[in-house]
Amino acid sequence: MDIKKEKNGTTLTMALSGRLDTVAAADFEKELNASLDGVESLIFDCADLTYVASSGLRAFLMVQKRMNKQGKMVMRHVQDAVMEVLTMTGFDDLLQIEK
Amino acid sequence: MKLDIRRRMLLLALSGSILSFLALGLIVFFGAAAMRDTVMERGRLLGVSASGFVETFAGEQARRRLSSHVGDKALLIEREFEHTRRDAEEIAQTMNLILAAQGDYLPRALPDPHTETVASGEPYLNMSRAVEAGGVDEEARRKMGVAANIADSLAVRNRFYTGVFVGSKDGWLIAADVTKDGAPARFSEKFLDSYDPREMNWYKLAAEAGKTIFTDLYVDTNGTRCITCATPFYDEDGFAGVVGVDCNAEEIYQQAVDMNSAGATDVSFILNKRGEILFSTKREGTLAVADKPRDLRNCGDKRLEMEASAMASGKNDVSLVSIDGEGVYLAYAPMASIGWSFGQVIAQTEVTYPARYAKDNLQTQMREFAGDVRGNVRRLAGVGAAFLLLALLAIVALSVKASGHFVRPILSLTEGVNEIAQGNLDRKLDVHTGDEIERLADCVNDMTDNLKTHIENLAKATAEKEHIKAELSVAQRIQEGMLPAVSSVLSGQTAFDLDAGMTPAKEVGGDFYDFYMLDENRLAVAIADVSGKGVPAALFMVVAKTVLENCTLSAKPEESLADVVARANDRISQNNDQMMFVTVFFGVLDLRTGVFDYVNAGHNPPLAALGGEPFAYLVPEGKPDKPLGVMEGLAFHQRSLTLAAGDALFFYTDGVTEAVDEKAELYGEGRLKAALDREVNPLPSMKELLAAVRQDMSAHVGEAEQSDDITMMALRYSAERRPIA
């Protein structure tokens, strides 16, 4: 999976592409832990994100939990396949998703 | 085959030095050859020009010498004749004085050759019979006697003089004759009787000219070739007679010839105004004195004729002519007073001999010099070749030694590296050449050190990994042990058929399934998928499985299944900082009624084949419930389904639908349903059903690596309850 970051003040936009599987999720988690200090608005651009494994869901859940404390988190342009997983697991309630 | 470094260095050194030597040799050789050629050419030119110069110079010298020779000789002869003239004129003067002052002189008697003996050089007086017969008066006798006083002046002053005399217009002659042998003069009577000076050629010429003249060459009575210098004298009446001096011209000429010689081949001659040769050292040929006088100006040789004309007209020159077929230098100088020209001839070969000698000598020397140069060049080449050979040998020896010196550390390096490669990492390369090879050796030593450290670390890490692997293996067995055996619920009953299986992606997985009898009529089944994989997932799975089972088993009668799941979720969610979660499908089947109550906590919907129809996904209406562990206090929805005998349910985790083939294409829900539907009529045993699905999956996946746990479970309701024993 590729992550492209773009920081604008306290707003961090991360463009995710590829498969967020178990291996990628570990890197993703590390990347998030290193990038989120002082970020008040985190935006995930998921236009090119094709697959999210349960580890990925857990990572999203963790970052949502953290961002709930220091600002807000939004997922954008989520593909249908990923959205299906989010819906099936009820995560669409837990994560803030913008269509 | 490639050459090794040693041979290559050797080759390099050798070829380099041979090339430079060859270049040097070629330069020296061509330089020497060019020098030799230049020297030879220069030498030849020098010889040619020097010999030319010498030839010209010698020729010029010869001409000058010749010119000077003939000048000297002509001058010598002329001086003699000049003396004669002076002598004659002096006598004439004396005669003039005597005759002018006749009163001062007493008549004097001189010997009469008719009657007296006359010594050589002694003056005498002679009168021809004719004159005597003509009558000589007293006055005439007195006058003759006075004139006889000239006798004292007639002393012979010069060895060339053969006679000094005074001829009177009166016919008498006073003379002093010199005999060859010094004996008294002997006169023939006839001569004395007939001799009248006035009839003599010399007398006539001088009387006619009225001044001093020289006669032509004539042969006197003694056979001597003479000329006579004659000059008139005078008395008070005018012309009174002629004074004559005979000179031996031949002797004068001979004196000049003898003075010095121009060369071995030279010829001296005297030419008169008429082109006749008077004297010559040559006895025959063109330049010899002819019996009958002939004019050289008409000799037939144009060139010689021209020169003869020049001589006859009193010119002075040196020229190259051909006489009697021989090339000669002809030099001549005039004797103006007597109108002669002194000529000298010398062979051209004699003149050019010094030049030719010098030229030959020079050329010989040049040839010797060229020979020396050639020899030296040859010697130089020989010495050069020998030196080259020696130098090459030295270079070969040095190169062998040097290349050995260069290659030795490399060989030592190679040997050391070989030993290291054999596994002796404690081997240190010991090279101290101070160059690239030492640096290479240092690098190899560093590398060996690093390698050693790395290998040690790797060994440690491998040991740790092995340890972990062993532990994981134990954990896997423990996890497997935690999954129930199918036999535990199937044995002793016929109300349902059930099979389940899990293929973990790693040693320990996050999936699990569970089934157990809540009481004799109720069967609980669960399938779950923990987020993530590996040890954390396995640990969480244990917690989730245990908590769910505990909550189920400890459920109060009034609690619904949803309540139980909610309670389990609360328990799992507590202290879940890592936000692990687990999707769970949990159901309870009443074997008596076939009612199947279930809760789906975020799990993949199972498939159900009801009433002989194909399988269909149990997609709940409304929003699905969330996985367990996400947050506390969640409410879950309980749903229900009534199974008839023969109806079947198929549960799975996303490892099934999300299994990918080599092109990353998902196995997907469509393929799963199709695989199940192929088995619907009639349904096989649940074990066979799972096997069919697994086989269909492997056909799709092929060689692709398994990325997630694959867990399946199948349940069929039979409704045939066996009485409890």
Side-chain angles (χ1 to χ4, degrees):
Chain A
M1 189 185 72
D2 281 337
I3 304 170
K4 279 186 191 136
K5 293 194 291 184
E6 194 184 317
K7 194 161 183 185
N8 190 358
T10 55
T11 302
L12 176 66
T13 306
M14 291 180 120
L16 310 177
S17 58
R19 289 167 56 88
L20 182 54
D21 56 20
T22 306
V23 177
D27 296 337
F28 182 46
E29 229 174 290
K30 251 183 244 170
E31 186 71 45
L32 285 170
N33 283 335
S35 315
L36 290 185
D37 284 349
V39 174
E40 290 171 15
S41 174
L42 177 64
I43 299 163
F44 288 113
D45 184 345
C46 304
D48 294 320
L49 187 66
T50 54
Y51 169 77
V52 179
S54 55
S55 318
L57 291 178
R58 198 190 118 242
F60 278 126
L61 210 54
M62 282 186 76
V63 72
Q64 178 76 66
K65 201 173 163 189
R66 179 170 173 182
M67 289 310 296
N68 283 343
K69 290 173 192 162
Q70 62 188 66
K72 58 167 190 163
M73 184 195 102
V74 177
M75 294 173 75
R76 284 177 180 158
H77 313 120
V78 179
Q79 287 190 8
D80 289 347
V82 174
M83 197 61 218
E84 202 178 311
V85 174
L86 293 176
T87 309
M88 193 174 72
T89 53
F91 273 42
D92 52 344
D93 286 348
L94 301 174
L95 306 172
Q96 195 178 339
I97 299 165
E98 283 182 4
K99 294 276 166 101
Chain B
M1 182 191 148
K2 294 251 178 168
L3 291 169
D4 59 27
I5 292 179
R6 189 194 176 107
R7 289 216 170 76
R8 265 184 278 174
M9 283 177 66
L10 204 60
L11 201 65
L12 193 68
L14 277 182
S15 48
S17 36
I18 286 173
L19 278 180
S20 10
F21 271 124
L22 274 182
L24 196 68
L26 281 178
I27 289 169
V28 168
F29 179 77
F30 283 116
M35 190 185 70
R36 184 197 61 196
D37 291 345
T38 305
V39 164
M40 307 257 292
E41 179 59 18
R42 284 277 162 187
R44 196 183 62 77
L45 289 177
L46 188 68
V48 168
S49 77
S51 56
F53 172 75
V54 167
E55 202 164 8
T56 310
F57 182 73
E60 192 54 39
Q61 283 295 102
R63 289 163 74 101
R64 282 191 193 170
R65 203 172 68 240
L66 276 174
S67 175
S68 145
H69 257 263
V70 293
D72 287 352
K73 293 184 178 188
L75 196 62
L76 182 78
I77 294 170
E78 195 161 31
R79 201 180 295 134
E80 293 301 338
F81 287 121
E82 205 51 47
H83 286 158
T84 309
R85 174 200 290 272
R86 259 204 323 271
D87 287 345
E89 286 176 353
E90 202 181 296
I91 293 166
Q93 282 292 318
T94 311
M95 273 305 291
N96 289 346
L97 288 173
I98 291 171
L99 290 179
Q102 287 180 25
D104 295 347
Y105 294 90
L106 291 172
R108 178 175 166 176
L110 290 176
D112 181 356
H114 280 98
T115 55
E116 294 167 75
T117 305
V118 180
S120 176
E122 184 187 5
Y124 63 91
L125 193 148
N126 181 52
M127 237 186 311
S128 67
R129 295 290 171 205
V131 171
E132 213 164 345
V136 180
D137 60 12
E138 218 34 49
E139 177 55 23
R141 276 202 190 280
R142 187 199 57 84
K143 205 173 174 181
M144 192 167 68
V146 169
N149 283 303
I150 198 68
D152 295 336
S153 300
L154 296 186
V156 175
R157 313 170 188 205
N158 194 309
R159 66 185 173 92
F160 300 118
Y161 295 171
T162 55
V164 182
F165 41 86
V166 178
S168 161
K169 62 179 181 188
D170 297 330
W172 50 260
L173 175 82
I174 299 171
D177 289 348
V178 177
T179 56
K180 263 183 186 168
D181 48 8
R186 274 184 300 277
F187 305 106
S188 68
E189 280 293 321
K190 193 183 170 209
F191 171 78
L192 293 173
D193 288 351
S194 63
Y195 188 86
D196 187 338
R198 290 171 300 182
E199 290 166 10
M200 291 298 124
N201 194 32
W202 50 272
Y203 183 96
K204 286 177 185 163
L205 284 172
E208 203 170 300
K211 60 172 190 176
T212 312
I213 56 94
F214 282 94
T215 64
D216 278 341
L217 191 69
Y218 62 92
V219 180
D220 70 4
T221 49
N222 291 318
T224 308
R225 284 150 55 84
C226 293
I227 64 168
T228 301
C229 179
T231 187
F233 61 91
Y234 307 92
D235 58 9
E236 68 275 10
D237 297 327
F239 177 78
V242 173
V243 172
V245 176
D246 283 350
C247 337
N248 187 339
E250 185 146 18
E251 215 164 301
I252 292 174
Y253 161 72
Q254 200 57 49
Q255 178 186 262
V257 167
D258 292 343
M259 187 173 72
N260 53 33
S261 169
T265 61
D266 64 347
V267 174
S268 296
F269 66 96
I270 285 176
L271 199 76
N272 68 8
K273 280 187 172 175
R274 289 188 298 278
E276 297 162 355
I277 291 170
L278 303 181
F279 303 100
S280 178
T281 51
K282 194 100 170 163
R283 295 280 163 253
E284 54 197 14
T286 310
L287 295 183
V289 177
D291 296 335
K292 211 171 126 195
R294 63 165 185 246
D295 191 346
L296 196 62
R297 292 174 297 182
N298 294 319
C299 68
D301 182 327
K302 287 290 167 206
R303 180 100 183 97
L304 190 55
E305 282 176 4
M306 218 166 76
E307 296 302 328
S309 297
M311 283 180 84
S313 55
K315 297 230 168 51
N316 191 335
D317 201 3
V318 179
S319 58
L320 193 59
V321 294
S322 174
I323 296 175
D324 298 334
E326 191 189 8
V328 293
Y329 277 99
L330 169 61
Y332 46 88
M335 291 164 277
S337 55
I338 49 171
W340 291 355
S341 182
F342 191 93
Q344 190 158 28
V345 163
I346 188 162
Q348 192 184 1
T349 49
E350 193 172 347
V351 171
T352 54
Y353 174 73
R356 269 189 293 113
Y357 178 77
K359 186 177 173 180
D360 290 350
N361 191 27
L362 202 63
Q363 280 175 349
T364 308
Q365 286 193 18
M366 281 318 297
R367 268 196 299 280
E368 284 171 2
F369 178 60
D372 285 353
V373 169
R374 232 181 257 118
N376 279 334
V377 167
R378 217 171 287 134
R379 262 197 300 286
L380 181 70
V383 169
F387 171 74
L388 213 75
L389 204 65
L390 280 177
L392 275 181
L393 285 176
I395 284 164
V396 169
L398 277 176
S399 302
V400 167
K401 203 171 169 188
S403 56
H405 181 72
F406 284 128
V407 170
R408 203 174 304 120
I410 295 178
L411 292 179
S412 137
L413 200 66
T414 310
E415 186 208 1
V417 170
N418 265 334
E419 196 178 330
I420 291 169
Q422 304 276 323
N424 182 5
L425 294 180
D426 291 326
R427 169 67 194 258
K428 286 276 174 280
L429 299 177
D430 194 23
V431 175
H432 300 290
T433 52
D435 55 11
E436 290 87 344
I437 296 173
E438 182 174 339
R439 282 205 286 287
L440 179 61
D442 290 346
C443 287
V444 171
N445 282 338
D446 288 350
M447 190 189 74
T448 313
D449 286 345
N450 290 340
L451 204 60
K452 200 173 156 187
T453 312
H454 185 69
I455 286 173
E456 281 165 2
N457 288 343
L458 199 63
K460 220 177 283 173
T462 309
E464 275 171 20
K465 206 170 174 183
E466 285 298 315
H467 186 66
I468 289 171
K469 201 173 169 186
E471 287 184 344
L472 281 175
S473 177
V474 173
Q476 189 182 20
R477 281 199 295 279
I478 291 171
Q479 193 189 23
E480 280 168 8
M482 289 182 74
L483 297 176
V486 175
S487 57
S488 67
V489 290
L490 285 186
S491 57
Q493 60 84 30
T494 54
F496 63 95
D497 183 15
L498 182 144
D499 194 28
M502 182 178 87
T503 314
K506 294 191 174 180
E507 286 79 0
V508 285
D511 283 8
F512 72 92
Y513 57 84
D514 203 1
F515 43 82
Y516 41 87
M517 299 299 294
L518 291 177
D519 52 43
E520 58 182 9
N521 296 316
R522 289 189 300 161
L523 169 70
V525 291
I527 188 162
D529 180 0
V530 175
S531 62
K533 291 185 213 50
V535 172
L539 281 172
F540 195 75
M541 166 239 162
V542 170
V543 170
K545 180 177 177 294
T546 310
V547 166
L548 191 61
E549 187 174 354
N550 283 348
C551 287
T552 309
L553 291 176
S554 65
K556 294 171 186 137
E558 66 271 19
E559 273 186 314
S560 69
L561 195 59
D563 293 338
V564 172
V565 172
R567 191 146 56 87
N569 176 51
D570 288 348
R571 291 269 295 279
I572 292 167
S573 299
Q574 283 169 8
N575 305 318
N576 183 16
D577 291 337
Q578 287 301 307
M579 296 305 293
M580 300 287 283
F581 61 87
V582 57
T583 63
V584 180
F585 185 94
F586 186 57
V588 175
L589 174 64
D590 191 324
L591 300 176
R592 294 164 300 188
T593 60
V595 172
F596 183 65
D597 296 322
Y598 66 92
V599 172
N600 187 347
H603 198 78
N604 300 59
L607 294 104
L610 306 175
E613 293 294 316
F615 279 93
Y617 286 99
L618 285 181
V619 182
E621 291 170 16
K623 280 203 68 69
D625 291 335
K626 293 175 179 57
L628 307 187
V630 172
M631 58 194 295
E632 283 181 67
L634 284 175
F636 293 86
H637 301 85
Q638 182 177 328
R639 292 182 176 86
S640 191
L641 183 70
T642 303
L643 303 177
D647 288 349
L649 294 169
F650 181 81
F651 314 94
Y652 63 95
T653 59
D654 57 7
V656 174
T657 48
E658 288 168 11
V660 291
D661 66 4
E662 284 149 356
K663 292 174 200 155
E665 193 178 334
L666 298 175
Y667 179 64
E669 289 159 354
R671 284 194 186 81
L672 176 61
K673 177 172 151 43
L676 289 168
D677 285 346
R678 278 196 290 276
E679 309 293 331
V680 165
N681 269 318
L683 268 175
S685 73
M686 292 301 100
K687 194 180 177 81
E688 284 163 341
L689 183 68
L690 291 194
V693 172
R694 278 198 200 97
Q695 198 184 340
D696 192 56
M697 269 184 77
S698 355
H700 173 76
V701 169
E703 294 298 317
E705 197 190 350
Q706 184 187 341
S707 64
D708 203 355
D709 298 342
I710 294 171
T711 307
M712 297 183 262
M713 182 164 68
L715 171 65
R716 185 170 59 179
Y717 178 60
S718 320
E720 294 171 13
R721 297 206 64 211
R722 193 183 284 176
I724 293 163

